[in-house]
Amino acid sequence: MIAQHLSESTEMYLKAMAELSDHDDVVAIARLAERLSVTAVSANEMMRRLGEQGLVTHTPYKGVALTVKGREVACNVVRRQRLWECFLYDHLKIEWSQLYELACSLEHATAPEVTEALDTFLGHPKTCPRGNPIPDAKGSFVPLNGIPLSDVEVGQTVRILAVNATATDVLKYLFERNLLPGHVVKVMEAAPLQGPLTLRLDGKNKDVALGLSLAEFVVVEENSNQ
């Protein structure tokens, strides 16, 4: 994986694109701006600069995509960030909902040799505490084979693979409702007109309501034990 000196804002944009897309997928600039809480004008200007550096390509009226070089840089940032999440959670016992934000403050100041030492110290974890894959030193990782909870039909029982939300308030909301990786949930009801899902956690008698926009952040797979 290449080591390249880039600004913190550049790394954040590239990482956000990687988080929002699968391989070679186009990301709408408006969606990217929303993710990073910046204006569309700022996002467009940054995409222009990243395009000049050969890190992204722009398709008019569709959006932007990472180039091979851009994805390599993005995976490097994602690797550092998710390794720090593991360290903060496993060894410093930081609250789950705070991991992403705190790890973000560390990722930009982590030298390559520190990243690899951290990976070795942690035992080469494959996923972060939110369940998302950690790229290896070459940028390779096994993508999640799941679907958003918002796409699950009523009556289905699924197991949570990962939570790909990044905002602390969203993570805290899901944490307080036990919607965490490894937990099993059954979709009891879906309210009409894009209303919330009613979920029942495995082993719990109390149901949980979750809006569709939040359910999109929860990646699930069919529960093989049902």
Side-chain angles (χ1 to χ4, degrees):
M1 187 178 291
I2 60 176
Q4 187 172 348
H5 294 290
L6 297 170
S7 69
E8 181 175 327
S9 61
T10 295
E11 290 192 338
M12 290 299 292
Y13 269 92
L14 294 175
K15 185 181 73 168
M17 289 182 66
E19 291 172 337
L20 289 170
S21 70
D22 292 323
H23 289 284
D24 301 321
D25 276 0
V26 174
V27 178
I29 294 180
R31 190 179 177 208
L32 184 61
E34 181 182 11
R35 176 79 162 210
L36 294 169
S37 299
V38 299
T39 65
V41 172
S42 296
N44 272 288
E45 175 59 23
M46 177 59 83
M47 290 302 102
R48 183 188 65 79
R49 295 204 299 267
L50 296 183
E52 292 174 351
Q53 297 175 56
L55 297 169
V56 305
T57 58
H58 179 225
T59 303
Y61 308 109
K62 289 187 177 181
V64 288
L66 293 165
T67 63
V68 172
K69 178 182 176 183
R71 186 164 291 280
E72 192 172 0
V73 174
C75 283
N76 184 290
V77 183
V78 169
R79 174 173 168 77
R80 284 180 261 147
Q81 191 261 326
R82 291 179 180 172
L83 285 172
W84 277 120
E85 281 193 59
C86 291
F87 179 81
L88 293 172
Y89 188 69
D90 294 340
H91 296 278
L92 299 187
K93 310 304 179 185
I94 298 297
E95 183 180 307
W96 185 84
S97 61
Q98 297 179 338
L99 295 173
Y100 185 89
E101 183 177 351
L102 293 174
C104 280
S105 66
L106 295 168
E107 69 192 29
H108 306 291
T110 306
E113 56 270 29
V114 175
T115 301
E116 299 319 310
L118 184 60
D119 183 46
T120 299
F121 175 77
L122 293 169
H124 311 291
K126 300 300 181 186
T127 60
C128 72
R130 291 177 298 120
N132 294 293
I134 299 174
D136 64 19
K138 295 181 179 179
S140 299
F141 62 92
V142 178
L144 293 173
N145 184 23
I147 62 171
L149 179 57
S150 54
D151 290 349
V152 176
E153 296 181 359
V154 173
Q156 275 192 291
T157 299
V158 293
R159 186 177 72 87
I160 298 175
L161 282 175
V163 173
N164 58 27
T166 58
T168 300
D169 57 344
V170 173
L171 291 168
K172 185 176 180 62
Y173 187 91
L174 296 173
F175 175 77
E176 290 173 345
R177 286 152 182 80
N178 267 328
L179 295 171
L180 305 172
H183 288 203
V184 174
V185 298
K186 181 177 182 179
V187 179
M188 305 299 293
E189 182 182 8
L193 300 177
Q194 301 293 303
L197 301 177
T198 300
L199 308 171
R200 180 164 298 170
L201 273 69
D202 189 35
K204 305 287 184 181
N205 293 323
K206 184 178 180 181
D207 293 342
V208 172
L210 188 69
L212 285 182
S213 59
L214 290 181
E216 290 179 0
F217 291 121
V218 182
V219 182
V220 300
E221 65 176 355
E222 183 178 352
N223 182 33
S224 59
N225 295 324
Q226 63 178 325

